[in-house]
């Protein structure tokens, strides 16, 4: 290592501040001295610690000449004075800041220096990583504002990227020291939130700013730290005063920003950030605070909000509920503001009745919608609460009463009552209601306890309920590991599904806080003996275990010490080890080895693993093969793979989560695999297993080994693809066209099964007409309107799909005569504006497209392969390809659809709408369509599932 | 037309470094005619000309060595050493079941380990006399880093390099070895800014910077746009995509039966027979000339009027730089950020993105490649315009510019 001359100017000075943190200070200092940049200087500033800090720091300074130590005369109680002192003592050309409990990445200084020098910049900023330790003891790294740091950017001034003001930290940055001195940039002493002012002042004055995508600073966030650091203590009113005060000072600094256009842009960006970040932070905890605090906090925020460019900020801010909150705060509407806070604690929760006007959805009315600003602010249409089905909704359920019915030595019966909001009449008044209360210890809990709610009914705009539960008998905690049970509410409304939510309350009913009931943990009373009722920090009603006997108190104290990391804790260490081992076992590499091992075990005769669209749904041909097997009472074990949840999957099959150990086990031992897309490539198939690939559609786009994508592959990648395809033993086809475009194009070894698609059997069944009518009735489609199914193909890139025509326009033109069902490709989404909802329905989530075919009178599509299937029904097809040119440039097609289309082919909205009008009345294309169906579906006879059954499964099973 | 030697080129184009240093460049081998070797050789020349004392170290020897001294046209200005004179065949660490089933594997592995230790010791002896405050080691490929990691570098800063795109690296085991062996080096040099960001964000490497390859020839132009000859240059192997190139060529020629254009392929490799058979099958055996490997790259390029690259994977291709320096417009698959940067593609690419010095085509799309080729064959005015712009478009990679950037990097890692 090169020797360092003390006279040599350091390239970077790192100011490390600490207060009573002697234990961790050496780690922080070491992280600087071990930098890949050697020419650094460490300026340790001690905020007059009362612990060993002076001794430790002096020792560090004696060991390395690059370390200097400075101690403040008296404790300053903040970060500002120590950091300012550090800047004054720094000799380096650049300055960085570090807190004694954090560390720098070992390349941080060199990355900063290189970026600063290459661009002659005043300021370089990189990524701060917040390092959490989760419950299982694993470190989780969460980058701070990663969207600002996705590439290397050089800004001439902050006006080039006003959103930079969102990153308010001072520690992930490197400042030219001369720049700090020339502009007299220092931390404000005597204030909290010093970072906010310092970073903003630096941004506003810097002549050139470089953003680098590199991690710079590791912020060691203590999840369960006993004492929160200053910045987390929001319940102190001084904290609010300082926050607002600092914002006012930043605004004053901004007034001096030279560029006028830039100034307005920055001011707006800052206002938007204030709404969605600062305001939200305080607003969501506000109702739970003391009355005097609430009063002053509201005044402080209200006065400050009035100084912001509100109209623009309201329109621009994507956090619609925060905007509504800001508006209600200005109008001093406390009751409605509380509903905002309740929502901010859980963004999916609807906490108010909502109002609909002219196709837009508003948080509330109360006269505010007369006002232009009110209409902008309270519009929460974008949040999409109204679009969710009941089962997907989270309807706020508030506790209204809690009293003891009876209590004994081993029992404690309480009566809970509450009310649930019913926004926009989501739960129809004629729906049959039933409900349950659920007690569970956490999000991913295995155990949960449910009891039926005796009484639940509509009452005005709300749903009221009352139920009794013997907490002591029903809720049986393990003890120690599950000290808290959340109370949840599950509402079932006829066939609309079940809505689940947490029961909340701002405060407990009188007397409930003193309530104690007997608790019976499975680990006996030695770990806890009483239940108490509390509102947790998320505003949720919970039951918590309390230890009243001496032994239990001791046991819990020991665990508490472990959990906060201050005690020895052998037990917890063992628990953590087990959990870490479990995490390791979840790695793909380990599973790959497991697969190899399981594949040596004998095949489980007759067992079948089904998967459709990589586990996304129970659908497509695998579903119909499964149903055929069920019809024939197939005796082998049948598995279905699911990706997200088990909704809609058959109850009588064994369900395995995709890529889980159960999945690997089932696949390794199955006699049959049935799937429509491809099991993961790394899952090798043993030779005793038969893989039936049903495929998911005839190809219009070019496929196979001759596409550019595959041709551009290197040998290894190409071989991997070929290996994956060679796992198929049988491949279902609908025509010789499929054989050419799929089987031969992929150079498959699989036998082409000329059966047609099982999913299309219902389209060719003799009872098509009856089935169609029944489905239409089930979906609730009006009988007097023409039902059109719009199924566009996959659009690359964007998740949300733009149709190329306006749904609102469609609704105006055809609202009385037609119903448009929109089905986006399963990798895309679509949003239907509220005003078009009578005429346009999003059916993208419905798993079975074949049933939608039956329910529709005609199909509209662009290049989707659904035409091949739908043509079997012999109903009209209309083509609408707004961005045809873009599509064929991205990917070639096997034939010219425009020329061969079995229906009118349109590219502009005018012609498209004209064709819709006449589509079902005059059917000019009947003949072309039949020829098309014959050409591409020659093997479709309506018995595909039967044929597959007879060929593979008739003799199978046990 | 005068042909200047390498010595004249670099000496004329160079300025002197402020601090002359000892620079040791370690590569897998330094004797083949591949991209990494040519990079090491030209860096040897450039840095020597700037006043540095350069020592090229090859880990392994090769069966047939390229005559770099002859090409340079004088005694080489740098020292060179090969650690293991014979070609090497790496032996991977055996897994437990392999150890049980094939005891011989363990023996071979320990022999390999011993060989590596000997090589590392030789490397340590090379580094021993150098002053750590005034020396730098550049590791050209991650394979060579295995030797450096075992050698005693005595605090001399090591700069690691990867001569391929991030994606290409990650599709092989090299990606993971880079992450492991280069993680703690003061700097890891990728080829382009795009690759550096990919390595940082996706590859979780935090010491990445970027540095383009230097221009191996002076950007003087000289090729004849009217020569009606296409040139492709490189090893005849799958990754260079000659199968795709022949297909594109056949498409372009099929559309112009009367054409007098020729495609000259310079290079040799395992796929030669297969490619010749393919050319015959496509009916272009007459218009495609397999020239074999050549030492006269510049002359080969000066005889052409278009340069074609159908590679499936690339880093920062030297051949493309050379072609542009000689004034040949280029058509290339947009397979790596390096190619994109050299052809000055501004946007994300797509078929037929025409730039000042060539055309970018979506990788694997031989139809589009054929169309673009035909277009440039047809349009002599466009060809002339691109040919005129080509040498200037690569002037930013001149030895002077790149040499200065390396000097700044050496200064940085010494701080």
């Amino acid at each position: 290592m090169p020797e360092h001359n003390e006279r040599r100017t350091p390239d970077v000075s790192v100011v490390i501040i600490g207060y009573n943190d002697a234990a961790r200070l050496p780690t922080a200092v070491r992280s600087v001295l071990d930098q890949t940049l050697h020419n650094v200087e460490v300026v340790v500033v001690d905020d007059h610690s009362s612990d060993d800090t002076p001794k430790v720091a002096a020792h560090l300074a004696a060991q390395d000449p690059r370390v200097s130590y400075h101690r403040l005369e008296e404790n300053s109680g903040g970060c500002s004075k120590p950091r300012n002192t550090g800047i004054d003592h720094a000799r380096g050309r650049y300055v960085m800041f570090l807190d004694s409990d954090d560390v720098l990445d070992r390349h941080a200084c060199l990355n900063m220096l290189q970026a600063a020098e290459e661009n002659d910049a005043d300021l370089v900023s990189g990524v701060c990583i917040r390092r959490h330790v989760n419950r299982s003891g694993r470190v989780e790294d969460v980058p701070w504002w990663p969207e600002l740091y996705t590439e290397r950017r050089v800004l001439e001034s902050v006006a080039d990227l006003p959103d930079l003001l969102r990153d308010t930290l001072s520690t992930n940055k490197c400042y030219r020291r001369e720049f700090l001195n020339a502009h007299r940039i220092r931390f404000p002493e005597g204030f909290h939130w010093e970072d906010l002012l310092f970073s903003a002042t630096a941004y506003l004055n810097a002549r050139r700013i470089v953003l680098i995508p590199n991690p710079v600073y590791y912020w060691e966030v203590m999840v369960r730290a006993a004492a929160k650091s200053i910045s987390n203590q929001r319940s102190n009113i001084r904290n609010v005063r300082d926050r607002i005060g600092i914002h006012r000072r930043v605004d004053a600094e901004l007034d001096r920003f030279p560029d006028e256009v830039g100034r307005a842009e920055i001011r707006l960006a800052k206002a938007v950030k204030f709404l969605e970040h600062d305001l939200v932070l305080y607003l969501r905890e506000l109702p739970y605070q003391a009355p005097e605090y609430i009063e002053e906090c509201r005044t402080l925020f209200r006065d400050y909000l009035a100084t912001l460019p509100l109209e623009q900020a309201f329109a621009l801010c994507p956090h619609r509920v925060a905007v509504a909150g800001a508006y209600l705060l200005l109008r001093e509407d406390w009751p409605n503001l509380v509903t905002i806070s309740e929502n901010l604690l859980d963004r999916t929760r609807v906490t108010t009745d909502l109002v609909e006007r002219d196709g837009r959805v508003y948080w509330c009315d109360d006269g505010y919608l007369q006002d232009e600003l009110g209409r902008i602010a309270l519009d929460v249409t974008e949040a999409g609460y109204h679009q969710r089905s009941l089962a997907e909704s989270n309807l706020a359920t508030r506790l209204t009463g809690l009293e003891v019915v009876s209590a004994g030595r081993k029992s404690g019966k309480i009566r809970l009552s509450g009310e649930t909001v019913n926004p926009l009449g989501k739960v129809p008044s004629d729906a049959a209601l039933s409900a349950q209360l659920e007690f569970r210890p956490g999000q991913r809990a295995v155990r949960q306890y449910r009891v039926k709610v005796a009484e639940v009914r509509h009452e005005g705009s709300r749903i009221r309920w009352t139920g009794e539960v013997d907490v002591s008998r029903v809720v049986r905690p393990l003890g120690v590991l599950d000290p808290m049970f959340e109370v949840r509410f599950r509402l079932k409304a006829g066939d609309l599904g079940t809505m689940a939510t947490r029961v909340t309350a701002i405060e407990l009913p009188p007397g409930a806080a003193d309530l104690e009931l007997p608790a019976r943990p499975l680990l006996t009373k030695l770990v806890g003996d009483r239940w108490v009722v509390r509102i947790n920090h998320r505003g949720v009603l919970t039951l918590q275990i309390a230890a009243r006997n001496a032994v239990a108190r001791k046991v819990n104290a020991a665990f508490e010490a472990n959990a906060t990391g201050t005690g020895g804790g052998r037990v917890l260490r063992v628990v953590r080890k087990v959990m870490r081992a479990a995490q390791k076992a979840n790695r793909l590499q380990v599973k790959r080895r497991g697969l190899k091992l399981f594949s040596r075990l004998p095949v489980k005769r007759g067992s079948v693993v089904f998967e459709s669209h990589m586990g996304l749904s129970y659908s497509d041909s695998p579903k119909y093969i499964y149903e055929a097997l069920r019809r024939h009472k197939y005796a082998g074990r049948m598995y279905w793979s699911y990706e997200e949840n088990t909704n809609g999957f058959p109850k009588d099959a064994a369900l395995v989560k995709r890529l889980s150990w159960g999945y690997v086990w089932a696949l390794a031992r199955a006699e049959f695999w049935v799937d429509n897309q491809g099991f993961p490539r790394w899952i090798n198939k043993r030779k005793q297993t038969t893989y039936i690939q049903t495929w998911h559609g005839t190809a219009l786009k070019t496929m196979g080994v001759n596409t550019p994508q595959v041709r551009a592959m290197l040998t290894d990648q190409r071989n991997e693809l070929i290996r994956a395809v060679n796992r198929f033993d049988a491949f279902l086809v609908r025509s010789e066209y499929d054989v050419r475009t799929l089987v031969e194009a992929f150079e498959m070894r699989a036998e082409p099964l000329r059966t047609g698609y099982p999913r299309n059997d219902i389209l060719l069944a003799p009872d098509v007409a009856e089935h169609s009518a029944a489905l239409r009735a089930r979906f609730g489609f009006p009988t007097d309107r023409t039902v059109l199914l719009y199924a566009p193909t996959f659009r690359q890139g964007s998740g949300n799909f733009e149709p190329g025509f306006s749904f609102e326009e469609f609704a105006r033109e055809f609202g009385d005569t037609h119903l448009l069902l929109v089905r986006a490709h399963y990798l895309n989404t679509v949003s239907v504006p509220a005003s078009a909802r009578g005429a346009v329905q999003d059916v993208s989530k419905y798993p079975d497209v074949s049933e939608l075919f039956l329910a529709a009178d005609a199909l509209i599509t662009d290049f989707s392969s659904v035409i091949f299937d739908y043509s079997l029904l012999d109903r009209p097809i209309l083509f609408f390809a707004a961005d045809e040119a873009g599509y064929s440039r991205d990917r070639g097609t096997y034939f010219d659809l425009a020329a061969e289309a079995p229906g009118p082919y349109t590219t502009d909205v005018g012609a498209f709408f004209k064709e819709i009008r006449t589509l079902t009345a005059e059917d000019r294309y009947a003949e072309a369509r039949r020829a098309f169906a014959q050409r591409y579906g020659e093997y479709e006879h309506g018995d595909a599932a039967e044929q597959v059954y007879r060929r593979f499964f008739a003799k199978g099973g046990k | 037309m005068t042909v200047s030697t390498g010595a004249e080129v670099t000496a004329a184009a160079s300025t002197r470094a402020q601090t002359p240093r000892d620079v040791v460049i370690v590569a897998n081998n330094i004797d083949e005619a591949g991209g990494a070797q040519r990079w090491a050789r030209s860096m040897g020349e450039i840095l020597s000309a700037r006043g540095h004392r350069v020592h090229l170290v090859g880990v392994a020897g090769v069966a047939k060595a390229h005559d770099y001294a002859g090409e340079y046209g004088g005694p080489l200005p740098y020292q060179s050493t090969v650690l293991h004179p014979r070609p090497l065949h790496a032996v991977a660490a055996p897994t437990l079941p392999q150890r049980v089933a094939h005891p011989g594997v363990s023996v071979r592995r320990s022999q390999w380990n011993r060989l590596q230790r000997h090589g590392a010791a030789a490397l340590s002896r090379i580094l021993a006399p150098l002053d750590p405050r005034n020396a730098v080691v550049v590791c050209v490929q991650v394979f060579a880093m295995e030797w450096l990691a075992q050698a005693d570098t005595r605090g001399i800063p090591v700069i690691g390099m990867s001569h391929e795109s991030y994606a290409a690296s990650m599709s092989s085991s090299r990606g993971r070895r880079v992450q492991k062996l280069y993680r703690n080096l003061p700097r890891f040099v990728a080829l382009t800014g795009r690759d550096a960001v990919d390595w940082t964000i996706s590859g979780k490497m935090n010491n990445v910077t970027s540095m383009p390859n230097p221009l191996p020839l002076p950007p003087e132009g000289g090729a004849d746009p009217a020569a009606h000859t296409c040139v492709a240059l490189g090893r005849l192997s799958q990754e260079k995509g000659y199968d795709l190139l022949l297909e594109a060529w056949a498409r372009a020629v099929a559309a112009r039966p009367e054409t007098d254009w020729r495609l000259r392929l310079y290079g040799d490799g395992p796929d030669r027979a297969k490619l010749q058979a393919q050319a015959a099958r496509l009916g272009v055996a007459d218009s495609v000339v397999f020239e074999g490997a050549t030492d006269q790259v510049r002359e080969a390029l000066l005889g052409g009027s278009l340069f074609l690259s159908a590679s499936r994977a690339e880093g920062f291709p030297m051949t493309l730089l050379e072609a542009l320096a000689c004034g040949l417009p280029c058509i290339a698959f947009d397979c790596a950020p390096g190619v994109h940067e050299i052809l000055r593609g501004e946007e994300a690419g797509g078929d037929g993105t025409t730039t000042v010095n060539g055309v970018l085509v979506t990788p694997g799309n031989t139809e589009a490649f054929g169309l673009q080729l035909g277009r440039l064959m047809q349009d002599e005015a466009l060809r002339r315009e691109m040919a005129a712009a080509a040498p200037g478009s690569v002037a930013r990679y001149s030895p002077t510019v790149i040499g200065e950037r390396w000097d700044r990097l050496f200064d940085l890692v010494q701080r």
Side-chain angles (χ1 to χ4, degrees), chain A residues 57-348:
Chain A
H59 181 66
L60 290 165
Q63 274 187 326
D64 195 312
R66 293 179 290 169
V67 182
S68 67
Y69 171 61
H70 311 274
R71 181 172 163 87
L72 297 191
E73 295 289 315
E74 54 180 357
N75 179 258
S76 74
C79 301
S80 297
K81 184 117 198 274
R83 284 187 187 150
N84 289 342
T85 309
I87 301 173
D88 293 341
H89 284 98
R91 295 186 302 120
R93 289 191 297 126
Y94 296 92
V95 182
M96 293 174 68
F97 302 103
L98 176 63
D99 293 350
S100 60
D101 46 359
D102 301 332
V103 291
L104 289 184
D105 184 272
R106 64 176 279 137
H107 302 293
C109 293
L110 197 52
N111 284 335
M112 290 295 200
L113 182 68
Q114 192 181 16
E117 288 189 341
E118 272 179 7
N119 300 288
D120 190 23
D122 283 340
L123 173 58
V124 184
S125 188
V127 184
C128 174
I129 307 277
R130 290 165 59 96
R131 188 162 261 183
H132 301 261
V133 179
N134 67 13
R135 287 170 75 103
S136 51
R138 198 174 61 154
V139 174
E140 273 179 316
D141 286 349
V142 184
W144 179 255
W145 287 111
E147 50 272 61
L148 292 171
Y149 299 97
T150 53
E151 58 187 331
R152 217 180 164 79
R153 294 189 68 166
V154 181
L155 313 175
E156 287 309 313
S157 102
V158 66
D160 292 352
L161 181 69
D163 274 347
L164 189 55
L165 266 88
R166 285 163 185 264
D167 175 5
T168 52
L169 299 177
S170 66
T171 46
N172 53 341
K173 297 177 175 62
C174 175
Y175 312 82
R176 195 205 298 271
R177 189 162 61 93
E178 236 171 63
F179 156 73
L180 292 182
N181 289 338
H183 295 274
R184 289 187 203 83
I185 301 173
R186 290 294 186 272
F187 290 91
E189 294 179 17
F191 282 91
H192 295 321
W193 311 113
E194 63 287 330
D195 268 29
L196 223 148
L197 179 62
F198 187 86
S199 60
T201 314
Y203 289 144
L204 291 167
N205 287 293
R207 196 177 30 75
R208 192 170 292 149
I209 303 171
V210 184
L211 306 183
I212 58 174
N214 304 67
V216 169
Y217 191 97
Y218 290 96
W219 179 357
E220 309 280 345
V221 183
M222 311 301 282
V223 171
R224 298 211 236 162
K228 288 180 181 174
S229 79
I230 309 161
S231 42
N232 272 338
Q233 293 165 358
R234 276 188 285 275
S235 49
N236 185 342
I237 192 68
R238 208 196 115 198
N239 179 309
V240 191
R241 283 184 211 140
D242 282 2
R243 184 93 170 195
I244 299 291
I246 289 284
H247 270 288
R248 289 182 185 276
R249 289 176 67 166
V250 175
D251 291 341
E253 188 65 40
L254 180 54
D255 287 336
R256 288 195 287 277
F257 189 72
D259 162 21
E260 202 174 316
V261 180
R263 197 191 311 149
E265 278 172 22
I266 298 169
R267 192 183 304 283
L268 181 57
K270 181 176 172 294
V272 170
K273 182 246 161 191
F274 182 83
L275 292 177
E276 62 181 324
H277 185 73
D278 303 71
L279 179 67
V280 165
L281 223 48
Y282 290 88
L283 210 48
R284 66 180 174 205
E285 291 166 3
L286 196 54
Y288 306 89
Q289 309 284 9
E292 321 73 79
Y293 175 100
I294 295 177
E295 193 48 47
E296 186 174 350
C297 186
R298 282 168 61 189
T299 314
L300 283 166
F301 270 94
R302 197 174 58 231
D303 293 350
Y304 180 65
L305 280 174
T307 69
L308 300 180
L310 284 184
E311 201 157 327
Q312 283 171 288
F314 279 2
L316 209 63
C317 179
H319 193 326
R320 297 318 299 173
V321 178
V323 172
Y327 180 80
L328 293 167
L329 194 60
L330 285 170
R331 304 302 293 259
E332 302 190 47
D333 183 343
W334 179 246
N336 273 321
L337 193 57
V338 172
T339 65
I340 296 278
S341 301
E342 288 175 309
N343 169 280
L344 292 175
L345 282 172
D346 178 351
R347 297 279 305 275
T348 62

Side-chain angles (χ1 to χ4, degrees), chain A residues 2 8 11 36-39 93 105-107 110-111 113-114 117 150 213-215 708 711-715, chain B residues 133 171 183-187 197 200-201 206-207 209 238-239 243-244 247 312-313 363-366 412 415:
Chain A
R8 192 172 149 196
D11 286 314
T36 42
L37 176 70
H38 300 300
N39 191 19
R93 289 191 297 126
D105 184 272
R106 64 176 279 137
H107 302 293
L110 197 52
N111 284 335
L113 182 68
Q114 192 181 16
E117 288 189 341
T150 53
N214 304 67
R711 299 216 61 193
M713 285 180 181
L714 291 170
T715 316
Chain B
R133 282 169 303 186
S171 70
R183 175 160 300 278
N184 289 326
L185 300 184
R187 277 309 75 171
V197 170
T200 305
I201 292 178
N206 204 20
N207 52 351
T209 184
Q238 202 256 355
E239 66 162 20
D243 52 331
L244 304 176
E247 216 179 278
R312 292 186 164 93
N365 194 344
T366 53
L412 189 73
R415 287 174 26 187

Side-chain angles (χ1 to χ4, degrees), chain B residues 265-283:
Chain B
L265 304 178
Y266 292 92
D268 213 337
D271 289 357
R272 183 177 180 132
K274 215 162 82 185
L275 291 166
Q276 279 171 328
Q278 190 193 355
R281 202 169 57 243
L282 291 168

